[in-house]
Amino acid sequence: MPLLFVGIDPATEKDKSPTVWVDQETNELVFQGWKPGAELEAECAAFEVPGHAKGIPSDEAVIRVPARMVHMIRKACDVVERADVP
C-alpha cells in the first residue's frame, strides 16, 4: 500500500500523533487519531442512519482528529480528487 504522507498534528506531544495519509493505490484517506471514550463510541453506535443498521461494524472504527488538522484533510481530499478515480 503506497501511502502518501499528508500531515501530522503539529500541536500534539512527541508520543501522540494524529496523522493523515492518502493510499495512492485505492485513493482512500487514511487517518490515525485518538480512540474515542466509551460514551462517544456508544453515541456513534446508537446513531440512526436511514437504510443502515445501528452499530459500528467489526471492521470499522471511530477515531477523533483535532479540528486544527482540517487543512491537512483538505489537502488529502485534493490528492484523491486529482487521482484518476473510476
Side-chain angles (χ1 to χ4, degrees):
M1 165 182 353
L3 289 178
L4 172 66
F5 171 78
V6 176
I8 190 167
D9 179 9
T12 57
E13 302 161 11
K14 192 173 185 175
D15 62 341
K16 307 284 186 205
S17 52
T19 308
V20 62
W21 299 270
V22 170
D23 180 330
Q24 297 178 92
E25 189 173 292
T26 62
N27 290 317
E28 295 173 337
L29 304 179
V30 179
F31 295 100
Q32 176 179 324
W34 301 305
K35 293 180 181 179
E39 188 175 314
L40 176 59
E41 190 165 20
E43 184 177 350
C44 292
F47 197 84
E48 291 191 47
V49 177
H52 291 271
K54 276 190 188 180
I56 301 167
S58 62
D59 62 339
E60 296 182 9
V62 174
I63 63 162
R64 298 174 64 126
V65 293
R68 63 184 165 263
M69 292 181 67
V70 165
H71 70 283
M72 294 174 204
I73 296 167
R74 284 189 184 120
K75 182 178 177 181
C77 290
D78 290 343
V79 168
V80 170
E81 283 184 338
R82 284 192 300 268
D84 192 19
V85 180

Coordinates of all heavy atoms in Angstrom, one line a residue:
M1 N 0.9 -1.2 0.0 CA 0.0 0.0 0.0 C 0.9 1.2 0.0 O 1.5 1.6 1.0 CB -0.9 -0.1 1.2 CG -1.6 1.2 1.6 SD -2.6 1.3 3.1 CE -2.7 -0.4 3.7
P2 N 1.0 1.9 -1.1 CA 1.9 3.1 -1.2 C 1.2 4.3 -0.5 O 0.4 5.0 -1.2 CB 2.1 3.3 -2.7 CG 0.8 2.7 -3.3 CD 0.4 1.6 -2.4
L3 N 1.5 4.6 0.7 CA 0.9 5.7 1.4 C 1.7 7.0 1.1 O 2.9 7.1 1.1 CB 1.0 5.5 2.9 CG 0.1 4.4 3.5 CD1 0.3 4.3 5.0 CD2 -1.4 4.7 3.2
L4 N 0.9 8.1 0.9 CA 1.4 9.4 0.7 C 1.2 10.1 2.0 O 0.0 10.4 2.4 CB 0.7 10.1 -0.4 CG 1.1 11.6 -0.6 CD1 2.5 11.8 -1.0 CD2 0.2 12.2 -1.6
F5 N 2.2 10.5 2.8 CA 2.1 11.2 4.0 C 1.6 12.7 3.7 O 2.2 13.3 2.8 CB 3.4 11.3 4.7 CG 3.4 12.2 5.9 CD1 2.9 11.8 7.1 CD2 4.0 13.5 5.8 CE1 2.9 12.6 8.2 CE2 4.0 14.3 6.9 CZ 3.5 13.9 8.1
V6 N 0.5 13.1 4.3 CA 0.0 14.4 4.1 C 0.3 15.3 5.3 O 0.8 16.5 5.1 CB -1.5 14.4 3.9 CG1 -2.1 15.8 3.7 CG2 -1.9 13.6 2.6
G7 N 0.1 14.9 6.5 CA 0.5 15.7 7.6 C 0.2 15.1 9.0 O -0.5 14.1 9.1
I8 N 0.8 15.6 10.0 CA 0.7 15.2 11.3 C 0.3 16.4 12.2 O 0.8 17.5 11.9 CB 2.0 14.5 11.8 CG1 1.7 13.8 13.2 CG2 3.1 15.5 11.9 CD1 2.9 12.9 13.6
D9 N -0.5 16.2 13.2 CA -0.9 17.3 14.1 C 0.3 17.9 14.7 O 1.0 17.3 15.5 CB -1.9 16.7 15.1 CG -2.4 17.8 16.1 OD1 -2.1 19.0 15.9 OD2 -3.0 17.4 17.1
P10 N 0.6 19.2 14.4 CA 1.8 19.8 14.9 C 1.7 20.1 16.4 O 2.7 20.4 17.0 CB 2.0 21.1 14.1 CG 0.6 21.4 13.7 CD -0.1 20.1 13.5
A11 N 0.5 20.1 16.9 CA 0.3 20.5 18.3 C 0.3 19.3 19.3 O 0.1 19.6 20.5 CB -0.9 21.3 18.5
T12 N 0.5 18.1 18.8 CA 0.5 17.0 19.8 C 1.9 16.8 20.3 O 2.9 17.2 19.8 CB 0.0 15.7 19.1 OG1 0.8 15.4 18.0 CG2 -1.4 15.8 18.7
E13 N 1.9 16.1 21.5 CA 3.1 15.7 22.1 C 3.9 14.7 21.3 O 3.3 14.1 20.4 CB 2.8 15.2 23.5 CG 2.0 16.1 24.4 CD 1.3 15.5 25.5 OE1 1.6 14.3 25.8 OE2 0.5 16.1 26.2
K14 N 5.1 14.5 21.7 CA 6.0 13.6 20.9 C 5.5 12.2 20.8 O 5.7 11.5 19.8 CB 7.4 13.6 21.5 CG 8.5 12.9 20.7 CD 9.8 13.1 21.3 CE 10.9 12.5 20.3 NZ 12.2 12.8 20.8
D15 N 4.8 11.7 21.8 CA 4.3 10.3 21.8 C 2.8 10.2 21.3 O 2.2 9.2 21.4 CB 4.4 9.7 23.2 CG 3.6 10.4 24.3 OD1 3.2 11.5 24.0 OD2 3.4 9.8 25.3
K16 N 2.3 11.3 20.8 CA 0.9 11.3 20.2 C 1.1 11.7 18.8 O 2.0 12.5 18.5 CB 0.0 12.3 21.0 CG -0.1 12.2 22.5 CD -0.9 11.0 22.8 CE -1.1 11.0 24.3 NZ -1.4 9.7 24.8
S17 N 0.2 11.3 17.9 CA 0.4 11.6 16.5 C -0.8 11.4 15.6 O -0.7 10.6 14.7 CB 1.6 10.8 16.0 OG 1.4 9.4 16.3
P18 N -1.9 12.2 15.8 CA -2.9 12.1 14.8 C -2.3 12.5 13.4 O -1.6 13.5 13.3 CB -3.9 13.2 15.2 CG -3.7 13.2 16.7 CD -2.2 13.0 16.9
T19 N -2.6 11.6 12.4 CA -1.9 11.7 11.1 C -2.9 11.5 10.0 O -3.9 10.8 10.2 CB -0.8 10.7 11.1 OG1 0.1 10.8 12.2 CG2 0.1 10.8 9.8
V20 N -2.6 12.1 8.9 CA -3.5 11.8 7.7 C -2.5 11.4 6.5 O -1.5 12.0 6.3 CB -4.4 13.0 7.3 CG1 -3.6 14.2 7.0 CG2 -5.3 12.6 6.2
W21 N -2.9 10.4 5.8 CA -2.3 9.9 4.6 C -3.3 9.7 3.5 O -4.5 9.7 3.7 CB -1.6 8.5 4.8 CG -0.6 8.3 5.9 CD1 0.8 8.5 5.7 CD2 -0.8 7.9 7.2 NE1 1.4 8.2 6.9 CE2 0.5 7.9 7.8 CE3 -1.9 7.6 8.0 CZ2 0.6 7.5 9.2 CZ3 -1.8 7.2 9.3 CH2 -0.5 7.2 9.9
V22 N -2.8 9.5 2.3 CA -3.6 9.0 1.2 C -3.0 7.7 0.7 O -1.8 7.6 0.5 CB -3.6 10.0 0.0 CG1 -4.3 9.4 -1.2 CG2 -4.3 11.3 0.4
D23 N -3.9 6.7 0.6 CA -3.5 5.4 0.0 C -3.6 5.6 -1.5 O -4.6 5.8 -2.1 CB -4.4 4.3 0.4 CG -4.1 3.0 -0.1 OD1 -3.5 2.9 -1.3 OD2 -4.3 1.9 0.5
Q24 N -2.4 5.7 -2.2 CA -2.4 6.1 -3.6 C -2.8 4.9 -4.5 O -3.2 5.1 -5.6 CB -1.0 6.5 -4.0 CG -0.5 7.7 -3.2 CD 0.9 8.1 -3.6 OE1 1.1 8.9 -4.5 NE2 1.9 7.6 -2.9
E25 N -2.9 3.7 -3.9 CA -3.4 2.6 -4.7 C -4.9 2.6 -4.8 O -5.5 2.3 -5.8 CB -2.9 1.3 -4.1 CG -3.1 0.0 -4.9 CD -2.4 -1.1 -4.3 OE1 -1.2 -1.2 -4.3 OE2 -3.1 -2.0 -3.8
T26 N -5.6 2.8 -3.6 CA -7.0 2.8 -3.6 C -7.7 4.2 -3.6 O -8.9 4.3 -3.7 CB -7.5 2.1 -2.3 OG1 -7.0 2.9 -1.1 CG2 -6.9 0.7 -2.2
N27 N -6.9 5.2 -3.5 CA -7.4 6.6 -3.5 C -8.3 6.8 -2.3 O -9.4 7.3 -2.4 CB -8.0 7.0 -4.8 CG -7.0 7.2 -5.9 OD1 -5.9 7.7 -5.7 ND2 -7.3 6.6 -7.1
E28 N -7.9 6.3 -1.1 CA -8.7 6.5 0.1 C -7.9 7.3 1.1 O -6.6 7.3 1.1 CB -9.0 5.1 0.7 CG -9.9 4.3 -0.2 CD -10.0 2.9 0.4 OE1 -9.2 2.4 1.1 OE2 -11.0 2.2 0.0
L29 N -8.6 8.0 1.9 CA -7.9 8.7 3.0 C -7.7 7.8 4.2 O -8.5 6.9 4.5 CB -8.8 9.9 3.5 CG -9.3 10.9 2.4 CD1 -10.2 11.9 3.1 CD2 -8.1 11.5 1.8
V30 N -6.5 7.9 4.8 CA -6.2 7.0 5.9 C -5.9 7.9 7.1 O -5.1 8.9 7.0 CB -5.0 6.1 5.6 CG1 -4.6 5.3 6.8 CG2 -5.2 5.3 4.4
F31 N -6.5 7.7 8.2 CA -6.4 8.5 9.4 C -5.9 7.7 10.6 O -6.3 6.6 10.8 CB -7.7 9.1 9.8 CG -8.3 10.1 8.9 CD1 -9.3 9.7 8.0 CD2 -7.8 11.4 8.8 CE1 -9.9 10.6 7.1 CE2 -8.4 12.3 7.8 CZ -9.4 11.9 7.0
Q32 N -5.0 8.4 11.3 CA -4.6 7.9 12.7 C -5.1 9.0 13.6 O -4.8 10.1 13.4 CB -3.1 7.7 12.8 CG -2.7 7.3 14.2 CD -1.2 7.1 14.2 OE1 -0.6 6.6 13.3 NE2 -0.6 7.4 15.4
G33 N -5.8 8.6 14.6 CA -6.4 9.5 15.6 C -6.5 8.9 16.9 O -6.1 7.8 17.2
W34 N -7.1 9.7 17.8 CA -7.3 9.2 19.2 C -8.6 8.3 19.2 O -9.6 8.6 18.6 CB -7.6 10.4 20.1 CG -6.4 11.4 20.1 CD1 -5.1 11.1 20.4 CD2 -6.4 12.8 19.8 NE1 -4.3 12.2 20.3 CE2 -5.1 13.3 19.9 CE3 -7.5 13.7 19.5 CZ2 -4.8 14.6 19.7 CZ3 -7.1 15.0 19.3 CH2 -5.8 15.4 19.4
K35 N -8.5 7.3 20.1 CA -9.6 6.5 20.3 C -10.7 7.3 21.1 O -10.3 8.0 22.0 CB -9.2 5.2 21.1 CG -8.3 4.3 20.4 CD -8.0 3.1 21.2 CE -7.0 2.2 20.5 NZ -6.6 1.0 21.3
P36 N -11.9 7.1 20.8 CA -13.0 7.8 21.5 C -13.2 7.2 22.9 O -12.9 6.0 23.1 CB -14.2 7.6 20.6 CG -14.0 6.3 20.0 CD -12.5 6.2 19.7
G37 N -13.7 8.0 23.7 CA -14.1 7.4 25.0 C -15.4 6.5 24.8 O -16.0 6.6 23.8
A38 N -15.7 5.7 25.8 CA -16.8 4.8 25.7 C -18.1 5.5 25.4 O -19.0 5.1 24.7 CB -16.9 4.0 27.0
E39 N -18.3 6.7 26.0 CA -19.5 7.5 25.8 C -19.7 7.9 24.4 O -20.8 7.8 23.8 CB -19.6 8.7 26.8 CG -20.9 9.4 26.8 CD -20.9 10.5 27.8 OE1 -20.5 10.3 29.0 OE2 -21.3 11.6 27.4
L40 N -18.6 8.5 23.8 CA -18.7 8.9 22.4 C -18.9 7.7 21.5 O -19.7 7.8 20.5 CB -17.5 9.7 22.0 CG -17.4 10.1 20.5 CD1 -18.5 11.0 20.2 CD2 -16.1 10.8 20.3
E41 N -18.2 6.6 21.7 CA -18.4 5.5 20.9 C -19.8 4.9 20.9 O -20.4 4.6 19.9 CB -17.4 4.4 21.2 CG -17.3 3.3 20.2 CD -16.1 2.4 20.3 OE1 -15.5 2.3 21.4 OE2 -15.8 1.7 19.3
A42 N -20.4 4.9 22.1 CA -21.7 4.4 22.3 C -22.7 5.4 21.6 O -23.7 4.9 20.9 CB -22.1 4.3 23.8
E43 N -22.5 6.7 21.6 CA -23.3 7.6 20.9 C -23.3 7.4 19.4 O -24.3 7.4 18.7 CB -22.9 9.1 21.3 CG -23.8 10.1 20.6 CD -23.5 11.5 21.0 OE1 -22.6 11.7 21.9 OE2 -24.1 12.4 20.4
C44 N -22.1 7.2 18.9 CA -21.9 6.9 17.4 C -22.6 5.6 17.1 O -23.3 5.5 16.0 CB -20.4 6.8 17.1 SG -19.6 8.4 17.2
A45 N -22.5 4.6 17.9 CA -23.1 3.3 17.6 C -24.6 3.3 17.6 O -25.2 2.6 16.9 CB -22.6 2.2 18.6
A46 N -25.1 4.2 18.4 CA -26.6 4.4 18.6 C -27.2 5.3 17.5 O -28.4 5.3 17.3 CB -27.0 4.9 19.9
F47 N -26.4 6.0 16.7 CA -26.9 6.9 15.7 C -27.6 6.2 14.6 O -27.1 5.2 14.1 CB -25.7 7.7 15.2 CG -26.1 9.0 14.5 CD1 -26.3 10.1 15.2 CD2 -26.3 9.0 13.1 CE1 -26.7 11.3 14.5 CE2 -26.6 10.1 12.4 CZ -26.9 11.3 13.2
E48 N -28.8 6.6 14.3 CA -29.5 6.0 13.2 C -29.4 6.7 11.9 O -29.6 7.9 11.8 CB -31.0 6.0 13.6 CG -31.3 5.0 14.8 CD -32.8 4.8 15.0 OE1 -33.5 4.6 14.0 OE2 -33.2 4.9 16.1
V49 N -28.9 6.0 10.9 CA -28.8 6.5 9.5 C -29.8 5.7 8.7 O -29.7 4.4 8.6 CB -27.4 6.3 9.0 CG1 -27.3 6.8 7.5 CG2 -26.4 7.1 9.9
P50 N -30.7 6.3 8.0 CA -31.7 5.6 7.2 C -31.1 4.6 6.2 O -30.1 4.9 5.6 CB -32.5 6.7 6.4 CG -32.3 7.9 7.3 CD -30.9 7.8 7.9
G51 N -31.6 3.4 6.2 CA -31.0 2.4 5.3 C -29.8 1.6 5.8 O -29.2 0.8 5.1
H52 N -29.4 1.9 7.0 CA -28.2 1.3 7.6 C -28.5 0.7 9.0 O -29.3 1.3 9.7 CB -27.0 2.3 7.7 CG -26.5 2.7 6.4 ND1 -25.5 2.0 5.8 CD2 -26.8 3.7 5.6 CE1 -25.2 2.6 4.6 NE2 -26.0 3.7 4.5
A53 N -27.9 -0.3 9.4 CA -28.0 -0.9 10.7 C -27.3 0.0 11.7 O -26.4 0.7 11.4 CB -27.4 -2.3 10.7
K54 N -27.9 0.0 12.9 CA -27.2 0.7 14.0 C -25.9 -0.1 14.4 O -25.8 -1.3 14.1 CB -28.1 0.7 15.3 CG -29.1 1.8 15.3 CD -29.7 1.7 16.7 CE -30.9 2.6 16.9 NZ -31.4 2.6 18.2
G55 N -25.1 0.6 15.0 CA -23.8 0.0 15.5 C -22.6 0.3 14.6 O -22.7 1.0 13.6
I56 N -21.5 -0.2 15.1 CA -20.2 0.0 14.4 C -19.8 -1.4 13.9 O -19.5 -2.2 14.7 CB -19.2 0.7 15.3 CG1 -19.7 2.0 15.8 CG2 -17.8 0.8 14.5 CD1 -18.9 2.6 16.9
P57 N -19.7 -1.6 12.6 CA -19.3 -2.9 12.1 C -17.9 -3.3 12.7 O -17.1 -2.4 12.9 CB -19.2 -2.7 10.6 CG -20.2 -1.6 10.3 CD -20.1 -0.7 11.5
S58 N -17.7 -4.5 12.8 CA -16.4 -5.0 13.4 C -15.2 -4.6 12.6 O -14.1 -4.6 13.2 CB -16.5 -6.5 13.6 OG -16.6 -7.2 12.4
D59 N -15.3 -4.3 11.3 CA -14.1 -3.9 10.6 C -14.0 -2.4 10.4 O -13.3 -1.9 9.5 CB -14.2 -4.6 9.2 CG -15.4 -4.2 8.3 OD1 -16.4 -3.8 8.9 OD2 -15.3 -4.4 7.1
E60 N -14.8 -1.7 11.2 CA -14.7 -0.2 11.2 C -14.4 0.3 12.6 O -14.5 -0.4 13.6 CB -16.0 0.4 10.7 CG -16.3 0.0 9.3 CD -17.6 0.6 8.8 OE1 -18.2 1.5 9.5 OE2 -18.1 0.3 7.7
A61 N -14.0 1.6 12.7 CA -13.6 2.2 14.0 C -14.0 3.7 14.0 O -14.0 4.3 12.9 CB -12.1 2.0 14.2
V62 N -14.3 4.2 15.1 CA -14.5 5.6 15.3 C -13.2 6.2 15.8 O -12.5 5.6 16.7 CB -15.6 5.8 16.4 CG1 -15.7 7.3 16.7 CG2 -16.9 5.3 15.9
I63 N -12.7 7.2 15.2 CA -11.5 7.9 15.7 C -11.8 9.4 15.8 O -12.8 9.9 15.2 CB -10.3 7.7 14.7 CG1 -10.6 8.3 13.3 CG2 -9.9 6.2 14.6 CD1 -9.3 8.5 12.5
R64 N -10.9 10.1 16.5 CA -11.0 11.5 16.7 C -9.8 12.1 16.1 O -8.7 11.6 16.3 CB -11.2 11.9 18.2 CG -12.4 11.3 18.8 CD -12.3 11.6 20.3 NE -12.4 13.0 20.5 CZ -13.2 13.6 21.3 NH1 -14.1 12.9 22.0 NH2 -13.3 14.9 21.4
V65 N -10.0 13.2 15.4 CA -8.8 14.0 14.9 C -9.1 15.5 15.2 O -10.3 15.9 15.2 CB -8.6 13.9 13.4 CG1 -8.1 12.5 13.1 CG2 -9.8 14.2 12.6
P66 N -8.1 16.2 15.6 CA -8.3 17.6 16.0 C -8.7 18.5 14.8 O -8.2 18.3 13.7 CB -7.0 18.1 16.6 CG -6.0 17.1 16.1 CD -6.7 15.8 15.8
A67 N -9.6 19.5 15.1 CA -10.0 20.4 14.0 C -8.9 21.1 13.4 O -8.9 21.5 12.2 CB -11.1 21.3 14.6
R68 N -7.8 21.3 14.1 CA -6.6 22.0 13.6 C -6.0 21.3 12.4 O -5.1 21.8 11.7 CB -5.6 22.4 14.6 CG -5.0 21.2 15.3 CD -4.1 21.6 16.5 NE -3.8 20.4 17.3 CZ -4.4 20.1 18.4 NH1 -5.3 20.9 18.9 NH2 -4.1 19.1 19.1
M69 N -6.4 20.0 12.1 CA -5.9 19.3 11.0 C -6.8 19.4 9.8 O -6.5 18.7 8.8 CB -5.8 17.8 11.4 CG -4.7 17.6 12.5 SD -4.6 15.8 12.9 CE -3.9 15.1 11.4
V70 N -7.8 20.2 9.8 CA -8.7 20.3 8.7 C -8.0 20.7 7.4 O -8.2 20.1 6.3 CB -9.8 21.4 8.9 CG1 -10.5 21.8 7.7 CG2 -10.8 20.9 10.0
H71 N -7.0 21.6 7.4 CA -6.2 21.9 6.2 C -5.5 20.7 5.6 O -5.4 20.6 4.4 CB -5.3 23.1 6.5 CG -4.1 22.8 7.3 ND1 -4.2 22.7 8.7 CD2 -2.8 22.5 7.0 CE1 -3.0 22.4 9.2 NE2 -2.2 22.3 8.2
M72 N -5.0 19.8 6.5 CA -4.4 18.6 6.0 C -5.4 17.6 5.4 O -5.1 17.0 4.4 CB -3.7 17.9 7.2 CG -2.5 18.7 7.8 SD -1.9 17.8 9.3 CE -1.2 19.2 10.1
I73 N -6.5 17.5 6.0 CA -7.6 16.7 5.4 C -8.0 17.2 4.1 O -8.2 16.4 3.1 CB -8.8 16.5 6.4 CG1 -8.3 15.8 7.7 CG2 -9.9 15.8 5.8 CD1 -9.2 15.9 8.9
R74 N -8.1 18.5 4.0 CA -8.5 19.1 2.6 C -7.4 18.8 1.6 O -7.7 18.5 0.5 CB -8.6 20.6 2.8 CG -9.9 21.1 3.4 CD -10.1 22.6 3.3 NE -11.3 22.9 4.0 CZ -11.4 23.8 5.0 NH1 -10.3 24.4 5.4 NH2 -12.5 24.1 5.6
K75 N -6.1 18.9 2.0 CA -5.1 18.6 1.1 C -5.2 17.1 0.7 O -5.0 16.8 -0.5 CB -3.7 18.8 1.8 CG -2.5 18.6 0.9 CD -1.2 18.9 1.6 CE 0.0 18.5 0.8 NZ 1.2 18.8 1.5
A76 N -5.4 16.2 1.6 CA -5.6 14.8 1.2 C -6.8 14.6 0.3 O -6.7 13.8 -0.7 CB -5.8 14.0 2.5
C77 N -7.9 15.3 0.5 CA -9.0 15.3 -0.4 C -8.7 15.7 -1.8 O -9.1 15.1 -2.8 CB -10.2 16.1 0.2 SG -11.0 15.4 1.6
D78 N -7.9 16.8 -1.9 CA -7.4 17.3 -3.1 C -6.6 16.3 -3.9 O -6.8 16.1 -5.1 CB -6.6 18.6 -3.0 CG -7.4 19.8 -2.6 OD1 -8.7 19.7 -2.7 OD2 -6.8 20.8 -2.1
V79 N -5.7 15.5 -3.2 CA -4.9 14.5 -3.8 C -5.8 13.4 -4.4 O -5.6 13.0 -5.5 CB -3.9 13.9 -2.8 CG1 -3.3 12.6 -3.3 CG2 -2.9 14.9 -2.4
V80 N -6.8 13.0 -3.6 CA -7.7 11.9 -4.1 C -8.5 12.4 -5.2 O -8.7 11.7 -6.2 CB -8.6 11.4 -2.9 CG1 -9.7 10.5 -3.4 CG2 -7.7 10.7 -1.9
E81 N -9.0 13.7 -5.2 CA -9.8 14.2 -6.3 C -9.0 14.3 -7.6 O -9.6 14.1 -8.7 CB -10.4 15.6 -5.9 CG -11.6 15.4 -5.0 CD -12.2 16.8 -4.7 OE1 -11.6 17.8 -4.8 OE2 -13.4 16.8 -4.3
R82 N -7.8 14.6 -7.5 CA -6.9 14.7 -8.7 C -6.6 13.4 -9.3 O -6.2 13.3 -10.4 CB -5.7 15.5 -8.4 CG -5.9 17.0 -8.2 CD -4.6 17.8 -8.2 NE -3.7 17.4 -7.1 CZ -3.7 18.0 -5.9 NH1 -4.5 19.0 -5.7 NH2 -2.8 17.6 -5.0
A83 N -6.7 12.3 -8.5 CA -6.3 11.0 -8.9 C -7.4 10.5 -10.0 O -8.5 11.0 -10.0 CB -6.3 10.0 -7.8
D84 N -7.0 9.6 -10.8 CA -7.8 9.1 -11.8 C -8.7 8.0 -11.2 O -8.5 6.8 -11.3 CB -7.0 8.5 -12.9 CG -7.8 8.2 -14.2 OD1 -8.9 8.7 -14.3 OD2 -7.3 7.4 -15.0
V85 N -9.8 8.5 -10.5 CA -10.7 7.6 -9.8 C -11.8 7.2 -10.7 O -12.5 8.0 -11.3 CB -11.3 8.2 -8.5 CG1 -12.2 7.3 -7.8 CG2 -10.1 8.7 -7.6
P86 N -12.1 5.9 -10.9 CA -13.2 5.4 -11.8 C -14.5 5.8 -11.2 O -14.7 5.9 -10.1 CB -13.0 3.9 -11.9 CG -11.9 3.5 -10.9 CD -11.3 4.8 -10.4

